Amino acid sequence: MEASADQEWRGCVCSAALSFQADGSPCTARRADYIKLSFRSVHLYAVPIAVGISLAQVLTSHWILSNVVALAFAYNAISLLYLDSFATGFILLGGLFFYDVWCGRSSCRFRPRLSVLTRAARRAAGGSLAAKLSLEQAQT
Amino acid sequence: MVDVAKSFEAPIKIVFPKNLATASDFTLLGLGDIVLPGFVAACWR
């Protein structure tokens, strides 16, 4: 690929045909764009690094590589959506708070760290047998 | 519930060992605890 450093190559999968256009113009209007890909020269260096990290994570499943891949997922999720106002964010966090409180007491299997909450609550309850029993009843 | 997260071998959590030398006993952090405050933090931009 003889792209210069600041030139952007766009490719569109237009009706199952991959077409590259050097001027960055989109595909013609009468053909539907199913997938739109854009390549910059940064990707020449970034894509091999990303593929290497992913392959190393699959092959070794080392915890640092797993953290890198998980943080990449989190970064993608943050950049995929964005909130329009702070009120939405605070409603979201408040809902998450009550979800954690409610789901930490009952047996919710979808969030893995919730039994940590249950354990912390049980530890905080200490020798109080009634609190312990109510927590265990709520868990089963 | 922690057993579910530990048996599931996928990068869906941030893990850190309590003992760095042996890397045996891991603490977990779910990705939702990063992403949802990240949405609120992204509002500042």
Side-chain angles (χ1 to χ4, degrees), chain A residues 41-108:
Chain A
S41 53
V42 183
H43 294 89
L44 290 179
Y45 315 108
V47 168
I49 292 173
V51 169
I53 288 177
S54 306
L55 271 182
Q57 196 274 329
V58 167
L59 292 179
T60 67
S61 69
H62 193 259
W63 62 273
I64 295 177
L65 292 169
S66 295
N67 284 357
V68 169
V69 177
L71 281 175
F73 279 136
Y75 180 79
N76 265 318
I78 290 173
S79 60
L80 191 67
L81 300 171
Y82 87 101
L83 304 178
D84 53 348
S85 67
F86 274 111
T88 316
F90 288 138
I91 288 170
L92 195 66
L93 285 181
L96 188 67
F97 173 74
F98 287 110
Y99 173 78
D100 272 352
V101 169
W102 180 75
C103 224
R105 294 189 71 240
S106 61
S107 62
C108 179

Side-chain angles (χ1 to χ4, degrees), chain B:
Chain B
M1 287 165 265
V2 167
D3 300 333
V4 175
K6 278 178 181 170
S7 64
F8 196 56
E9 196 59 47
I12 50 155
K13 55 190 182 293
I14 303 294
V15 294
F16 201 82
K18 289 175 187 170
N19 191 356
L20 262 179
T22 62
S24 58
D25 203 5
F26 287 102
T27 59
L28 305 179
L29 182 69
L31 281 193
D33 302 324
I34 300 169
V35 171
L36 286 173
F39 286 152
V40 180
C43 272
W44 260 280
R45 288 193 296 146

